[in-house]
Amino acid sequence: MAGRNFLFVPGPTNVPERVQRAMVVSMEDHRSTKFPELTHSVLTDLKAVFKTTTGTPIIFAATGTGGWEAALTNCLSPGDLVLASRFGQFSHLWIDMVTRLGFQVETVDCEWGEGVPVEKYAEILARDKGHTIKAVLATQNETATGVTSDIAAVRAALDACDHPALLMVDAVSSLGSIDFRMDEWGVDLCVSGSQKGLMLPAGLGIVCASQKALNAREKSTQPRCFFDFGDMIKANGTGYFPYTPALPMLYGLREALNMIKEEGLENILTRHTYLASGVRAAVFDGWGMKLCAKAPKWYSDTVSAILVPEGINGAHVIDVAFRRYNLSLGAGLSKVAGKLFRIGHLGDLNELMVLGALAGCEMAMLDVGVKIEPGSGVGAAQKYFREHDTIAKKKVARSEVVYASQSTGSNEGATAGAAAKV
Ligand SMILES: *Cc1c(COP(=O)(O)O)cnc(C)c1O
């Protein structure tokens, strides 16, 4: 098919060309005396992305799922009880892993479209006077439903009853795109992966552990080998890995971290809110449709799960979008299969890319019989983007003036151009 694929699944996300090029490397000796430069630099810069000074980032050749396993097996012991909530496919899978690894879990089931039930957590934790709950799990961004939860509030619930359980957060589809604060929120284990906000292919499971988590690891009797933090931290300390690292992924990560530094993490978070707001304008103001997320406080800035009307199969919209328009959208998973389609709007993305995806969604929806006005979503998003500037965009206002002056071709233009330089 001519032209490019519009990749709008919420992971893997678009890998910037700079990052792709940085990954085309010859293999090298990962035990050379030069190698530690790379290890130390990526581990240092990852701390800024996790917003931690006291935490320890750890990189596994794995995916987010491996990160989940690392978090659980390093810091718990066989039979330990964890508190978790289920409100989508990813929070569900983490709970499933907890039981498959032989830990106990108290699960709070929530409606899909809601997030971590903080009040319920607070009640359960306050009742647990004997501190049998060893860890509290929270999926910050439930990618299956487009729901973001309040992690600071989970920390507050733990603190309110002085509960010592570890706070474990899945930030796979939020790190580097939705605000995450390891230190400020007292997160003990944060799990992420390379292929979402970090703009890389899948292949790295990236975890950050607090000092409290590392202390818990000392006492853990859970068998583990590949995912042992101890081997990794010992080797990383001297700039190496306990086994062969995924070299191109590390070079890609180095370049992605450069890009994050250049744009600025806060600007990136603002850009995600801005682009997500444009998508929501399309959904609500343009199409008159609904999100799976049940209230504005849950709206995710990295993925929107859009409910299709009764009688329409969401999978049909996705298939037409892909086959006819070369647009890849996220499917409804498990309980919400067929009921929705998802637009991933995270990573290396700008307005026109989002507008292209929205245009494709419109055509695909019209093709399968959804009653929307052609151009309505695109128009609503355009309106939003033109009326709202991000911080980064304000910087270009000046060159726009010069450009406007050039197109007049008159003395007036020259004056405007000169004025713009002041
Ligand atoms: C993608 C995702 C995962 C799974 O990560 P993999 O890299 O596919 O193993 C876990 N949790 C959330 C919230 C995700 O979005």
Side-chain angles (χ1 to χ4, degrees), residues 32 125 151 153 191 204 213 249 275 304 307 357 390:
S32 77
L125 290 167
I151 303 303
V191 176
L204 299 180
M249 290 298 294
L275 294 174
S304 293
L307 296 170
T390 65

Side-chain angles (χ1 to χ4, degrees), residues 337-355:
K339 294 185 182 158
L340 55 81
F341 67 90
R342 295 175 296 149
I343 304 177
H345 31 81
L346 72 164
D348 186 40
L349 212 62
N350 62 21
E351 294 97 330
L352 296 194
M353 291 164 85
V354 169
L355 289 170

